Amino acid sequence: MNAQPVIFDGHNDLLTRLWLSAAADPVHDFIYGTLPGHLDLQRCQKAGWMGGLFSIFLPPYAYVKKNHPDKLSNLSGLDFGPQKIVDICCAQLALVQQLQARSDGQIQICKSLAQIQACQQNQQLAIILHLEGAEFLAIKPELLDVFYDAGLRSIGPLWNRKSLFGDGLNASFPHSPDTGSGLTDQGKDLILKCREKHMLIDVSHMNERAFWDTLEIIDQPIVATHSNAHALCQQARNLTDQQLAAIKQSGGMVGVNFDVAFLRADGQRNTQTSVDVIVDHLDYLVDHLGEDHVGFGSDFDGCLLPDELSDISQISMLIEHMQQRHFSDPLIEKITSKNWFTVLDRIWQ
């Protein structure tokens, strides 16, 4: 493969990073400057990273209190209040709308595969809005329609926290994905509402019972936007062979997470980790899912990367390692973009 392939990515946390930023104008810095972290427009364009699913996410209160206290008006509390939870998610939606409005046409929020393909043709950054953890919809359910109208096309109903919609997925290493109860009735209702809107349902932060509950109630491809193989790294968030078989049968896919703790066999947060470990997970998933059901789900701006893959500008190194492991050019093209296009088109029909 002579040219760097186009890369469409299943998960990043840029919008949360923008919300947390202490910069005077982080939107400007992303579009026209150098934004600290894994992503900014200039680096993305140079690397052939055309976009993907951008997460709207409520970060843990303890993390915000410790690292970004300026974002909290009340430092004596133990958690965000209901209105603050809504405000944070709405603020991230406003930030992505600013990215589009202020980019001179270089960034587009996409609601369909045709719009994504137009971005690819026009060398624009394609943003598909994804909700990671739906706590704010437990407070104001009517905002689902508001966010959908604004471009929300993918949802992970659960995160690591327990919520109205189900138990979170939080366990020490090593652990199976069986970490508690599955979806609540409210969680099932939310998923069915999103299914009616033809939204992608992300199982990456579901425990095993919630995963199987989801399979029982929807009849579309099952997608884990940023998860890895449990057989290679026994984090609770990684997928067992039985789960992989169910995803394959549904016609879904898995986006490989680049976070070292979800890659390494010892589960350690050690950045001295070879990029080959990412290829190990890609190889395992291709073997178990087939070459049409695996992609990237990097978790850029929300993960701890291997040192040699320090940000998006180093993504070509991962491609080179895939080539060295005899991944064919057509297979690399499927993993880097085409499989995502196929599964999104099937779900959004």
Side-chain angles (χ1 to χ4, degrees):
M1 182 177 292
N2 296 320
Q4 175 77 10
V6 168
I7 297 167
F8 185 92
D9 195 350
H11 190 87
N12 73 76
D13 285 306
L14 171 74
L15 302 179
T16 307
R17 177 173 287 274
L18 293 179
W19 179 73
L20 291 169
S21 175
D25 191 350
V27 170
H28 178 276
D29 292 348
F30 177 84
I31 299 170
Y32 299 109
T34 301
L35 187 74
H38 301 151
L39 302 169
D40 58 45
L41 185 58
Q42 182 177 346
R43 281 181 286 169
C44 292
Q45 291 173 332
K46 189 173 182 180
W49 193 87
M50 67 158 291
L53 275 65
F54 285 62
S55 175
I56 293 172
F57 171 62
L58 179 72
Y61 178 83
Y63 173 82
V64 178
K65 184 176 181 178
K66 178 180 178 181
N67 298 287
H68 304 276
D70 57 303
K71 297 297 178 183
L72 300 174
S73 57
N74 178 15
L75 294 178
S76 63
L78 297 176
D79 207 344
F80 302 112
Q83 189 57 52
K84 186 65 173 178
I85 291 173
V86 173
D87 289 347
I88 291 170
C89 294
C90 289
Q92 292 182 37
L93 177 61
L95 284 165
V96 74
Q97 290 170 331
Q98 288 184 47
L99 286 173
Q100 176 174 271
R102 297 170 58 189
S103 69
D104 295 324
Q106 297 181 87
I107 300 173
Q108 295 292 322
I109 299 171
C110 297
K111 303 177 182 180
S112 67
L113 180 62
Q115 290 178 327
I116 295 171
Q117 291 172 327
C119 284
Q120 182 179 358
Q121 187 81 16
N122 299 326
Q123 297 185 319
Q124 298 165 302
L125 187 72
I127 292 181
I128 294 83
L129 292 181
H130 169 76
L131 182 62
E132 184 173 27
E135 289 97 331
F136 87 103
L137 294 179
I139 300 163
K140 289 196 173 181
E142 65 272 18
L143 287 178
L144 177 60
D145 289 336
V146 174
F147 274 60
Y148 180 86
D149 290 344
L152 185 69
R153 291 296 181 273
S154 175
I155 184 170
L158 306 178
W159 192 65
N160 295 352
R161 300 171 285 249
K162 186 178 180 68
S163 74
L164 179 70
F165 303 119
D167 284 356
L169 199 165
N170 199 3
S172 58
F173 180 90
H175 204 286
S176 79
D178 186 8
T179 65
S181 300
L183 298 171
T184 63
D185 289 342
Q186 295 94 328
K188 293 175 182 178
D189 287 345
L190 175 61
I191 287 175
L192 290 172
K193 287 177 184 176
C194 293
R195 173 66 186 96
E196 289 173 4
K197 294 177 177 294
H198 299 274
M199 294 172 64
L200 182 154
I201 309 298
D202 181 18
V203 300
S204 278
H205 280 280
M206 289 186 182
N207 63 35
E208 190 167 11
R209 295 185 190 184
F211 175 94
W212 295 115
D213 286 346
T214 300
L215 261 71
E216 286 182 6
I217 62 175
I218 63 172
D219 58 354
Q220 68 184 36
I222 300 299
V223 177
T225 63
H226 57 304
S227 295
N228 295 336
H230 192 270
L232 302 185
C233 173
Q234 293 179 20
Q235 293 282 9
R237 260 201 0 81
N238 286 342
L239 298 158
T240 66
D241 288 354
Q242 291 76 20
Q243 289 174 304
L244 295 178
I247 290 171
K248 179 180 181 179
Q249 186 173 4
S250 79
M253 68 175 288
V254 176
V256 168
N257 190 328
F258 297 172
D259 191 311
V260 293
F262 298 98
L263 293 165
R264 295 171 58 97
D266 60 9
Q268 295 298 305
R269 294 180 60 78
N270 182 352
T271 61
Q272 295 181 12
T273 299
S274 171
V275 169
D276 276 321
V277 183
I278 300 176
V279 186
D280 290 342
H281 282 266
L282 288 168
D283 196 33
Y284 188 93
L285 292 171
V286 168
D287 281 347
H288 284 74
L289 294 169
E291 64 179 30
D292 296 329
H293 305 284
V294 182
F296 289 165
S298 68
D299 211 1
F300 280 139
D301 277 333
C303 72
L304 193 64
L305 291 171
D307 288 334
E308 57 185 353
L309 182 60
S310 57
D311 64 9
I312 185 56
S313 68
Q314 301 301 315
I315 196 71
S316 60
M317 179 177 293
L318 175 56
I319 306 302
E320 290 169 6
H321 280 248
M322 293 167 69
Q323 293 168 335
Q324 290 165 9
R325 294 275 287 273
H326 306 294
F327 281 59
S328 68
D329 288 355
L331 176 56
I332 290 173
E333 289 178 333
K334 287 182 177 183
I335 290 172
T336 54
S337 63
K338 288 185 177 180
N339 287 344
W340 276 115
F341 297 162
T342 299
V343 78
L344 290 174
D345 192 41
R346 288 188 61 195
I347 293 170
W348 291 346
Q349 290 293 334

